[in-house]
Amino acid sequence: MALIVHKYGGTSMGSTERIRSVARRVAKWVRAGHRMVVVPSAMSGETNRLLGLAKELQPARLDTAALRELDMIAATGEQVSVGLLALALQAEGVPAVSYAGWQVPIRTDAAYTKARITSIDDTRVRADLDAGRVVVITGFQGVDDAGHVTTLGRGGSDTSAVAVAAALGADECLIYTDVDGVYTTDPRVVPEARRLHTISFEEMLEMASLGSKVLQIRSVEFAGKYRVPLRVLSSFTDWGIPIDEEARSGTLITFEEDEKMEQAVVSGIAFNRDEAKVTVLGVPDRPGIAYQILGAVADANIDVDMIIQNVSHDGRTDFSFTVHRNDHPRVMDLLKQKVVPALGAREVIGDARICKVSIVGIGMKSHVGVAAKMFRTLSEEGINIQMISTSEIKTSVVIDEKYMELAVRALHRAFELDEPAAA
Ligand code: ADP
Ligand code: ASP
Ligand code: MG
């Protein structure tokens, strides 16, 4: 008998019919003798709908007071889901009880719309499990020390599930979604993408941070920190398939690096359209300019990703960096109004039509020439590289957004990730 956490995403919870199928799957695990905690997301489209309503009433001024209300609104999607799922389980003859984040409680900091979990009290959940009930807990939401409802950022139900699994010392956390595992790249963009049977924790962390939305990055961080056995699998398989078969399906996140030694140099390709580029032109080239520009950006609480400073000409240089697209208007205002005049720079230009494409693989640690192959592949497609950044296990480039799919497909082929054509 094991303690298992299941997480079901929005599409998996998308209708009462889908919820019934989730309940049947969970009931199967209960009947096999497992103690079950289930963490569902809001029904598909619901979080967008709720945030859309909020935007109609308050399109612009998102100060702390407004962000608090956004969380109050967005968190309701998951509350509907847990109630419906608990009802469906009861209808299957399985005793079940649902809780909102504050009832557990799942405690977070007060950073509305992107709160971080600080602790989870497992007393209540354990009491229900001991009484033979399935416990259904809202994904995505928590409560801060002052009792305000918070949410964990888009895709945050993954993190709720892994955090609950860590707090309970669960034997496994299974993330059920609308694809049957983690692929070499998003199968919606590259139909030839291949499912990985395993992926190392380090690679999964890079893939998630570089834009693969199959797992929220914080869920992977939690899994690494607390060594939570984590698997991604499909909720669209027949709920009646044998439990052993289901438990071995999908993609397992592994913590043992050795298992990967023999495998491909590049394991996957991630991409992300969420960034925008900013260039400050004609900056006087003297010590301290990076600090003057990026210090001001950091003071405005805006995260910077890639950074490039060009060689100088006649004592002046250009300085480029990327930020999240949501922060782009704010950073442009800040630079135009404060930084450019203070520095005596010429002007600032912005470009939101960029994307970042990254190759990821532990094998890159021990192979040279991997980045060069990436650059050659892109040049053969006539794609211009605007920025580059590398680490031990990834190389990322910024390119024009309109070439994103072409770049991902070409790289997928060049690094031999395509599914071999059926004989
Ligand atoms: P859920 O609602 O279940 O949380 P998400 O939409 O958040 O589902 O995540 C699943 C989606 O992630 C898939 O439908 C797929 O389009 C996308 N995705 C992006 N990169 C990958 C990848 N490397 N492997 C699998 N899916 C990926
Ligand atoms: N419902 C939330 C969202 O859409 C959380 C999640 O689905 O993981 O972002
Ligand atoms: Mg998700």
Side-chain angles (χ1 to χ4, degrees), residues 392-410:
E392 258 195 325
I393 67 163
K394 71 116 204 278
T395 301
S396 302
V397 296
V398 165
I399 60 172
D400 188 325
E401 180 187 68
K402 69 174 180 256
Y403 298 123
M404 190 190 84
E405 295 196 0
L406 176 64
V408 174
R409 290 210 183 99

Side-chain angles (χ1 to χ4, degrees), residues 7 9-10 41 154-158 175 177 213-216:
K7 179 261 173 178
S41 294
R154 300 309 303 268
S157 299
D158 298 329
I175 307 285
T177 181
K213 299 204 163 91
V214 61
L215 285 177
Q216 197 200 37

Side-chain angles (χ1 to χ4, degrees), residues 380-400:
E380 283 166 1
E381 298 293 338
I383 300 171
N384 186 38
I385 298 171
Q386 303 178 16
M387 298 171 110
I388 298 172
S389 84
T390 63
S391 78
E392 258 195 325
I393 67 163
K394 71 116 204 278
T395 301
S396 302
V397 296
V398 165
I399 60 172
D400 188 325

